[in-house]
Amino acid sequence: LVSNLVAGLMITMERPIRIGDRIEVGVHSGIIKEIGVRSIQIYTPNGSYVMIPNNDLLSQHVVNWTLNNAHSRIEIQLIVDALNDLHQTKQTLVNLLKEHTLILQNPEPLVLIKDMANGGIEFTCYFWCENISQSMLIKSKVLENIYDEFQKLSITIRDNNININQVMKP
């Protein structure tokens, strides 16, 4: 009890967290809804509230995703069939990321070739969005755009060495 009170005073004076910040403490993550003398309350992505003793904030690693800004880096990994044109595929990914209105252009989106093995070319795409709360929606939209553009260009996506396009076509 005393350690939580002392930790609460330290948190109040130092302000390493604020209401509205998205944090991770141990196995818990969510948005801070209340900062009390003994504990904080976070709202988790699954809709529950978790009370975290203030002492845990001082004794465990805390990740504050929104301390300086709400930007979030998103990573997408995908494998295309090695028979696809590597340069066309990479340029298509770069263009899609640069044209998307919800993707920050500074820092610039990055498309890297991670590996070439088992008949596939593995790409990793990195890009930033302005608001961490929209990151899952933006990632979903980008994946949809990639799928649509790859369909138009007949670029074959692979997953676990199974050709998705072949499985989906009658």
Side-chain angles (χ1 to χ4, degrees):
L1 180 64
V2 172
S3 65
N4 283 325
L5 289 172
V6 171
L9 290 172
M10 291 176 71
I11 289 168
T12 303
M13 290 188 309
E14 292 179 6
R15 297 214 177 273
I17 58 170
R18 301 174 306 256
I19 292 175
D21 282 352
R22 182 176 296 271
I23 65 165
E24 290 179 20
V25 181
V27 297
H28 302 291
S29 66
I31 297 171
I32 298 174
K33 292 296 181 183
E34 185 178 313
I35 300 173
V37 178
R38 294 185 308 147
S39 65
I40 66 165
Q41 185 180 80
I42 64 170
Y43 181 70
T44 67
N46 65 4
S48 65
Y49 285 88
V50 177
M51 304 297 284
I52 299 176
N54 287 335
N55 192 45
D56 287 0
L57 296 173
L58 298 179
S59 64
Q60 296 184 29
H61 293 296
V62 177
V63 178
N64 188 337
W65 290 98
T66 54
L67 181 63
N68 295 323
N69 62 50
H71 296 178
S72 175
R73 188 183 81 168
I74 300 171
E75 177 181 327
I76 293 177
Q77 294 185 4
L78 59 109
I79 302 172
V80 299
D81 199 330
L83 299 175
N84 294 301
D85 183 303
L86 179 135
H87 302 291
Q88 177 194 25
T89 304
K90 182 176 179 180
Q91 192 59 51
T92 300
L93 290 168
V94 168
N95 292 343
L96 286 169
L97 297 178
K98 285 187 175 185
E99 293 169 0
H100 201 289
T101 58
L102 297 175
I103 292 176
L104 294 174
Q105 297 305 309
N106 187 18
E108 187 175 343
L110 183 62
V111 176
L112 301 173
I113 300 166
K114 184 176 178 185
D115 198 7
M116 291 190 285
N118 300 322
I121 306 167
E122 187 174 350
F123 290 92
T124 304
C125 305
Y126 299 101
F127 55 93
W128 289 83
C129 71
E130 191 167 1
N131 190 336
I132 192 170
S133 65
Q134 293 181 325
S135 60
M136 290 179 67
L137 177 63
I138 293 169
K139 182 175 182 177
S140 177
K141 287 182 179 183
V142 168
L143 285 169
E144 187 176 336
N145 291 348
I146 289 171
Y147 181 83
D148 291 343
E149 192 64 22
F150 279 14
Q151 288 289 344
K152 287 181 200 171
L153 298 172
S154 299
I155 297 172
T156 312
I157 301 171
R158 294 172 58 97
D159 182 31
N160 295 329
N161 295 324
I162 298 172
N163 186 322
I164 293 173
N165 291 341
Q166 289 178 358
V167 172
M168 295 177 69
K169 291 181 181 176

